[in-house]
Amino acid sequence: MAAAAVRYGIVGVGMMGREHLHNLAHLAAEVEREQFVKVRVTGLADPHQESLRLGLQLADELGLPAPLTFSGHRELLDSGLCDAVIVSSPNMTHYEILMDIIGHRQPHHILVEKPLCTTVQDCKKVIEAAKQRPDIIVQVGLEYRYMPPVAKLIDIVNSGTLGQVRMVAIREHRFPFLVKVNNWNRFNCNSGGTLVEKCCHFFDLMRLFAAANPVRVMASGAIDVNHKDELYDGKVPDIIDNAYVIVEFDNGSRGMLDLCMFAEGSRNEQEISVVGDIGKGEAFVPESIVRLGKRTEGRDGVVTIMAEDERIKYQGLHHGSSYLEHLNFLSAIRAQGASGPSVNLSDGLLSVAIGVAGQLSIEKGRFVTMEEVLGS
């Protein structure tokens, strides 16, 4: 039997688009051994010619057949070359591109980079449009779920080992935002704001650990160190570089984010703590370890576990999680709708909504309810 082919197009071939190209090249080499499916990258779309050039160069370096290039996503869609589309364009373009893909006469499965959109309203419109296309799988790129130590901690929490989760604390201490094409990520109007652009990952994880939905958010944040001496078209960047965010959930549990983007001198970029009424679990990235302890056993009973996933064939920028994300997406495509995407549009909406609530809380200096942000 001839192997079936899943043909991918990438919309937005900047840093993340090329990261997806890396992952797809490794995925293609791996899944072809099964002899049941082939993965092909058949098209790249980007209005920025230098990004297209770098994308073609990378495809050649990876030994991939040269994909066709397009200056816009509509041309890619109309070409008929793709079964699935990776949307890795700047945040503020997601809404228009998603609506065009969903509304296209030919079905294209979608993996859209986080955030789903920059506003709650746009997320909702995408969700409503997608309801009319049951022939399309839409997966949201909240791949931090798959980082081996995070995935291990999720399994521990789900097993009940920690008891009822009461507190989730996530610390991300890292480097400043990277330079992107035309510096689009320097402004809230393009990115949705730091708590949407960067932190939707962590709000998604809080929901998973708490197994509950958010009720209200309180945040404090500012621009204290980064980008203050930069100027683009006469404008100074307005993205915050540090914040504390408290999220209250409908089951009484609480989450807290500690974000600092001028903390390069950190051993770990992410430190995640989940505390239940029985015990405590922690995950550390990039050390890739998990620590687990129970109240009854105290400090001496804490164990350290190395977290690995042998399925990962490419570590990339996110410690193998993007590779696992692609495995999940391909599995959903091959299941032909029998199973939904591993991260759905509702997950994408709520991760954005918590970020929007946090941004609004900083602006207003008060708690912001999710009802206020989500509306009816």
Side-chain angles (χ1 to χ4, degrees):
M1 182 182 296
V6 179
R7 303 169 302 163
Y8 287 78
I10 301 177
V11 176
V13 202
M15 185 190 73
M16 275 311 302
R18 296 193 295 276
E19 175 73 357
H20 284 295
L21 193 55
H22 269 290
N23 280 282
L24 288 170
H26 285 82
L27 185 67
E30 185 65 20
V31 299
E32 249 180 65
R33 296 174 190 168
E34 301 177 16
Q35 299 181 346
F36 293 117
V37 65
K38 293 181 183 294
V39 167
R40 297 287 182 262
V41 179
T42 50
L44 306 176
D46 200 307
H48 190 248
Q49 289 303 306
E50 179 62 9
S51 292
L52 284 178
R53 186 191 70 79
L54 290 171
L56 282 175
Q57 178 180 308
L58 178 60
D60 181 62
E61 292 171 356
L62 293 169
L64 298 175
L68 291 184
T69 59
F70 303 88
S71 60
H73 66 279
R74 295 184 183 92
E75 291 81 3
L76 174 70
L77 297 174
D78 290 341
S79 72
L81 287 172
C82 304
D83 307 300
V85 177
I86 311 301
V87 178
S88 48
S89 56
N91 298 1
M92 69 284 189
T93 68
H94 287 188
Y95 171 70
E96 179 183 349
I97 292 170
L98 288 171
M99 294 298 278
D100 285 345
I101 300 173
I102 293 168
H104 199 270
R105 62 184 181 278
Q106 178 184 342
H108 298 83
H109 302 302
I110 304 167
L111 173 59
V112 55
E113 265 300 330
K114 61 78 193 166
L116 173 57
C117 298
T118 58
T119 70
V120 169
Q121 292 74 20
D122 285 350
C123 289
K124 284 185 170 184
K125 291 174 186 175
V126 168
I127 290 173
E128 288 305 309
K131 288 178 181 177
Q132 309 306 313
R133 293 301 300 263
D135 53 340
I136 291 176
I137 294 164
V138 186
Q139 181 168 314
V140 182
L142 293 166
E143 80 279 354
Y144 278 36
R145 295 178 176 211
Y146 308 126
M147 287 184 182
V150 178
K152 180 65 177 177
L153 185 55
I154 291 171
D155 288 342
I156 289 170
V157 170
N158 289 343
S159 73
T161 301
L162 307 183
Q164 175 64 48
V165 171
R166 296 299 183 188
M167 302 179 73
V168 180
I170 299 178
R171 168 179 287 170
E172 181 173 62
H173 281 193
R174 53 161 279 172
F175 48 88
F177 278 121
L178 299 173
V179 175
K180 298 294 183 74
V181 174
N182 295 327
N183 303 293
W184 67 264
N185 64 339
R186 294 309 200 245
F187 297 95
N188 291 331
C189 62
N190 295 331
S191 69
T194 299
L195 297 184
V196 172
E197 150 65 13
K198 185 70 200 74
C199 303
C200 56
H201 280 303
F202 306 121
F203 301 136
D204 178 60
L205 293 179
M206 285 182 190
R207 284 186 56 240
L208 282 181
F209 289 127
N213 284 318
V215 175
R216 64 176 190 162
V217 177
M218 179 66 190
S220 173
I223 313 165
D224 287 330
V225 176
N226 298 336
H227 316 304
K228 298 174 75 172
D229 57 351
E230 299 174 10
L231 199 66
Y232 305 101
D233 296 327
K235 298 178 180 178
V236 177
D238 60 356
I239 47 172
I240 63 173
D241 60 14
N242 69 102
Y244 292 116
V245 185
I246 297 170
V247 184
E248 296 180 347
F249 291 91
D250 58 10
N251 65 354
S253 61
R254 293 177 179 83
M256 191 274 287
L257 172 67
D258 167 2
L259 174 72
C260 180
M261 299 189 69
F262 44 89
E264 292 92 328
S266 299
R267 184 178 181 88
N268 284 293
E269 196 169 307
Q270 287 95 29
E271 302 177 9
I272 300 172
S273 167
V274 181
V275 185
D277 51 14
I278 294 176
K280 173 183 176 180
E282 297 175 280
F284 299 89
V285 179
E287 280 188 298
S288 203
I289 61 173
V290 173
R291 291 199 178 103
L292 173 63
K294 293 189 175 181
R295 296 177 67 190
T296 54
E297 298 171 4
R299 181 178 299 158
D300 293 339
V302 175
V303 297
T304 299
I305 306 165
M306 289 302 301
E308 299 175 342
D309 192 319
E310 62 184 15
R311 296 174 299 167
I312 296 172
K313 306 306 177 184
Y314 175 67
Q315 290 288 327
L317 300 178
H318 299 108
H319 314 290
S321 61
S322 292
Y323 184 84
L324 297 176
E325 172 183 59
H326 276 286
L327 275 184
N328 278 276
F329 184 49
L330 181 60
S331 294
I333 292 172
R334 292 178 65 186
Q336 298 180 334
S339 61
S342 55
V343 186
N344 62 35
L345 287 169
S346 178
D347 296 322
L349 165 65
L350 287 171
S351 69
V352 168
I354 298 173
V356 168
Q359 292 283 151
L360 185 59
S361 176
I362 292 172
E363 178 187 337
K364 301 293 186 182
R366 60 172 173 81
F367 266 105
V368 172
T369 68
M370 294 307 298
E371 183 179 14
E372 182 178 350
V373 169
L374 289 168
S376 58

